[in-house]
Amino acid sequence: MFNIPNGVTSIGAYAFYGCNSATSLYLNSSLRTIGECAFRGLTRLTTLTMPSNVVTIGASAFAGCYHLGSIIVNRTTPPVLGNGALDDTSNCTIYVPQGSYDVYVNAEGWSAYRDRIWAADQDY
């Protein structure tokens, strides 16, 4: 498990690229920016919960996370999503807050994943 500690507001480009040991990822509530390819290629990662303060997810940030089964996004307004941020995660369901579904499926970047976006039936 990767645990990004409180107080970290940004994860730089390629920070954890290819670190294959993590199956889960805890992102703290102070995190605002995830850089390009920051978690690319974490092939054992299965779940991800995105805190509500994240406003930017860089290009290919989670690309190649083949076993990622679900992403829970807690932000009601979609974060800016870079090109291919979620590529190669085709089995992954993306849960967004109740009432935000329409905004996500029509948002730039997120609309590419519209067939995998679901309104969460509870808050996480």
Side-chain angles (χ1 to χ4, degrees):
M1 174 180 188
F2 284 138
N3 184 357
I4 307 302
N6 287 330
V8 174
T9 59
S10 180
I11 297 173
Y14 296 90
F16 296 97
Y17 175 74
C19 294
N20 291 324
S21 61
T23 58
S24 61
L25 180 59
Y26 173 77
L27 303 174
N28 74 66
S29 61
S30 59
L31 187 64
R32 296 186 48 81
T33 304
I34 298 172
E36 175 182 345
C37 298
F39 297 102
R40 183 182 181 122
L42 271 69
T43 58
R44 295 183 183 178
L45 186 64
T46 58
T47 60
L48 169 65
T49 300
M50 191 80 56
S52 61
N53 288 337
V54 173
V55 295
T56 304
I57 302 169
S60 299
F62 294 98
C65 295
Y66 302 109
H67 290 102
L68 193 56
S70 65
I71 299 174
I72 299 166
V73 184
N74 286 306
R75 187 171 179 83
T76 55
T77 304
V80 173
L81 191 65
N83 285 339
L86 301 174
D87 283 1
D88 304 318
T89 62
S90 61
N91 295 322
C92 178
T93 303
I94 303 165
Y95 296 99
V96 299
Q98 285 286 342
S100 296
Y101 173 81
D102 290 333
V103 177
Y104 272 85
V105 298
N106 294 303
E108 186 175 342
W110 292 96
S111 62
Y113 308 104
R114 72 180 312 127
D115 60 330
R116 298 193 274 147
I117 297 174
W118 293 85
D121 57 1
Q122 62 184 18
D123 292 331
Y124 294 95

